[in-house]
Amino acid sequence: MENQFSRMELLTGKAGIQRLAGARAAVFGIGGVGGYVAEALARSGVGTLDFIDHDKITITNLNRQIFALHSTLGKYKADVAKERVLDINPDAVVNVHKIFYMPDTADQFDFSCYDYIVDAIDTVTGKLALIEQAKAAGIPIISSMGAGNKMDPAGFMVADIYETSVCPLAKVMRRELKKRGITSLKVVYSREKPRKPFHLSEKECCEKEMQHAVNEPGRKDVPGSSAFVPPAAGLVIAGEVVRELLRLGE
């Protein structure tokens, strides 16, 4: 009998669909990248999803975020994501955490309950805390590197963090992870050189890219972003998560 996952089942078999239905994944950051991860995991049949994001949808999110509509402006991203996912798969279990993930909120999460973790948050401090917590718990994690100021959706690839180059955020992460003794991390990144925003000089652009990689909430620099680059990164991540969940269940 046909159902909403019939086409996926042709690729995974019934056992694969059952493995996905029994899996639990957490997406930290439901923005331009994380929103597409969340959507694709739901449409792939992942049975339990945790969405962690404290932000509300704003007008500038409309150009790239899948949950951003005029009808959702002012609503919490995690709440909108949950509503949409349950409309896609009413049998899914969706847990919402309207929290800004940082070291001081990390103890609110029991990572042992997750099968996979997606890091799609912006701040280096938060990313490092998330990666450390996942590694300590022995839970697989994949981390999104920089998608801002880029225009090539075909440039994203999966690699270990220590194999990356060009990406300013990846450079900072390599340095900080090495300090912490973390020897490997699966990431999605692009070697496309960040473009210069039209209101900045080339020198200012390079400086701003590095600032964006290290600054905390409240930063004044805002990267340019398109309708197709963050989604491409998100879909690459989602594909990796689904394939890994299927392998983990074998």
Side-chain angles (χ1 to χ4, degrees), residues 25-30 34 38-39 42 49-53 67 77-78 81-82 85 94-98:
V27 182
F28 286 76
I30 310 296
E39 173 100 354
L49 293 164
D50 285 51
F51 299 148
I52 301 91
D53 198 304
F67 303 125
K77 293 177 182 179
K82 177 177 181 177
V85 164
V94 182
N95 304 299
V96 166
H97 309 267
K98 287 175 280 192

Side-chain angles (χ1 to χ4, degrees), residues 36 53 70 90 137 171 173 204:
Y36 278 85
D53 198 304
H70 280 279
K171 180 179 181 180
M173 292 296 292
E204 288 173 327

Side-chain angles (χ1 to χ4, degrees), residues 57-230:
I57 294 169
T58 67
I59 192 72
T60 60
N61 299 150
L62 287 167
N63 81 313
R64 69 195 183 283
Q65 297 190 15
I66 194 165
F67 303 125
L69 307 166
H70 280 279
S71 61
T72 62
L73 289 175
K75 297 181 179 180
Y76 283 101
K77 293 177 182 179
D79 285 341
V80 175
K82 177 177 181 177
E83 182 179 357
R84 182 174 169 100
V85 164
L86 291 177
D87 202 11
I88 293 168
N89 180 14
D91 294 325
V93 175
V94 182
N95 304 299
V96 166
H97 309 267
K98 287 175 280 192
I99 296 171
F100 186 72
Y101 183 89
M102 290 289 278
D104 60 349
T105 58
D107 61 1
Q108 298 183 39
F109 297 91
D110 176 12
F111 276 34
S112 66
C113 67
Y114 300 133
D115 296 297
Y116 217 102
I117 296 164
V118 174
D119 159 31
I121 57 181
D122 292 332
T123 63
V124 170
T125 300
K127 293 176 91 68
L128 290 170
L130 182 59
I131 292 160
E132 286 186 295
Q133 196 172 4
K135 293 287 186 179
I139 304 303
I141 182 170
I142 187 168
S143 185
S144 174
M145 295 293 102
N149 292 332
K150 298 183 179 183
M151 288 286 283
D152 181 10
F156 288 97
M157 63 192 82
V158 179
D160 186 86
I161 185 67
Y162 293 105
E163 298 171 354
T164 60
S165 60
V166 181
C167 175
L169 176 56
K171 180 179 181 180
V172 174
M173 292 296 292
R174 289 196 304 271
R175 182 185 69 221
E176 296 302 320
L177 290 170
K178 187 175 182 179
K179 289 179 184 177
R180 289 160 175 78
I182 294 175
T183 59
S184 65
L185 173 69
K186 183 178 291 188
V187 302
V188 168
Y189 86 109
S190 170
R191 287 199 292 260
E192 179 187 0
K193 184 178 178 181
R195 291 172 176 249
K196 178 183 71 173
F198 274 89
H199 64 286
L200 297 177
S201 68
E202 184 172 354
K203 180 181 178 181
E204 288 173 327
C205 177
C206 293
E207 291 173 348
K208 290 292 186 182
E209 278 299 317
M210 291 306 296
Q211 289 171 11
H212 178 63
V214 300
N215 279 355
E216 299 305 321
R219 62 174 178 256
K220 295 182 180 179
D221 58 303
V222 178
S225 193
S226 70
F228 40 84
V229 169

